[in-house]
Amino acid sequence: MIATLAKALSRIADLGGPVVLILGALSVLVLTVVLYKLWQFAAARVGSHRALQEAVAAWDAGDGAKAGAALQRSRSYLRPVIEMALSGQADPARLEAEAEARFARLESGFRLLDSVAQLAPLLGLFGTVLGMISAFQALQEAGAQVDPSILAGGIWVALLTTAVGLAVAMPTALILSWFESRMDRERVFAQQALHSILAPETQVAPAHA
């Protein structure tokens, strides 16, 4: 199996050069980061805030006991922040800072994905330029015995790196956009929840009522 893998890598290197190998390594890195982020989002219950929504709605309606009971059912990563707000922490800046700290942990790795999405096409173009140089060098060495297939073969091999670069960059950019849109919704939810708790429409009843 190792021999087969080494042979495949050697074939790829022969076709696209070291740039294709670098792009392949970047694609593996991106896949690893994406799988980790999906696991992290699932473990943090990103987007699953039904119990928190019920707690905020009960608090906004003036029912502190019901809000506390709903809060205990939540497994969301935002539960500690909402719990701080319900327990009387009325400093909006402190609460927003606590929420942002949790958002930052979930957004770790986003910069890497963004860098790969921007760098992969440039690496592909760099490989294409190197391939074109090699193709024209081969054409020059052929002298008067010019064979169009030499140039054509060199060009398609050179363009292979651009295709691989775009193949790595496009899905990476789409996945990053999806992650960022989810985090944008998380921020909106957190802001709305904290504002509702700090300024409820109804005076909150005592927890023992």
Side-chain angles (χ1 to χ4, degrees), residues 5 14 16 40 49-50 65 68-69 84 90 103 108 123-124 148 150 190 198:
L5 179 59
D14 291 339
Q40 187 183 30
H49 305 306
R50 179 174 298 179
M84 286 177 60
F103 295 149
S108 63
L123 278 173
I150 297 177
L198 297 178

Side-chain angles (χ1 to χ4, degrees), residues 14-26:
D14 291 339
L15 286 176
V19 174
V20 172
L21 291 178
I22 294 173
L23 289 169
L26 287 178

Side-chain angles (χ1 to χ4, degrees), residues 74-207:
S74 174
R75 299 176 64 188
S76 167
Y77 71 101
L78 285 174
R79 173 182 166 177
V81 180
I82 302 301
E83 194 169 17
M84 286 177 60
L86 293 180
S87 64
Q89 173 58 257
D91 184 1
R94 169 69 186 280
L95 293 172
E96 289 178 6
E98 291 288 340
E100 282 297 327
R102 287 160 175 79
F103 295 149
R105 285 195 290 270
L106 290 173
E107 289 174 338
S108 63
F110 283 13
R111 183 167 296 181
L112 173 63
L113 295 178
D114 182 58
S115 297
V116 171
Q118 296 184 43
L119 183 62
L122 297 178
L123 278 173
L125 181 59
F126 178 63
T128 295
V129 172
L130 293 180
M132 293 296 291
I133 291 173
S134 298
F136 282 113
Q137 283 179 337
L139 191 63
Q140 182 183 20
E141 293 171 358
Q145 304 297 323
V146 177
D147 185 355
S149 64
I150 297 177
L151 183 60
I155 290 175
W156 83 260
V157 170
L159 292 177
L160 176 65
T161 60
T162 296
V164 174
L166 293 174
V168 172
M170 289 187 292
T172 301
L174 287 175
I175 293 170
L176 175 60
S177 178
W178 180 73
F179 279 138
E180 290 178 336
S181 67
R182 295 199 68 181
M183 292 309 302
D184 287 341
R185 290 195 294 270
E186 292 296 294
R187 281 187 166 85
V188 171
F189 168 77
Q191 290 175 359
Q192 290 178 338
L194 292 177
H195 289 166
S196 297
I197 293 171
L198 297 178
E201 292 184 357
T202 307
Q203 183 176 1
V204 179

Side-chain angles (χ1 to χ4, degrees), residues 34-57:
V34 168
L35 291 177
Y36 171 72
K37 298 310 296 182
L38 290 174
W39 171 83
Q40 187 183 30
F41 274 39
R45 300 296 191 272
V46 172
S48 301
H49 305 306
R50 179 174 298 179
L52 288 185
Q53 290 172 335
E54 293 176 1
V56 173

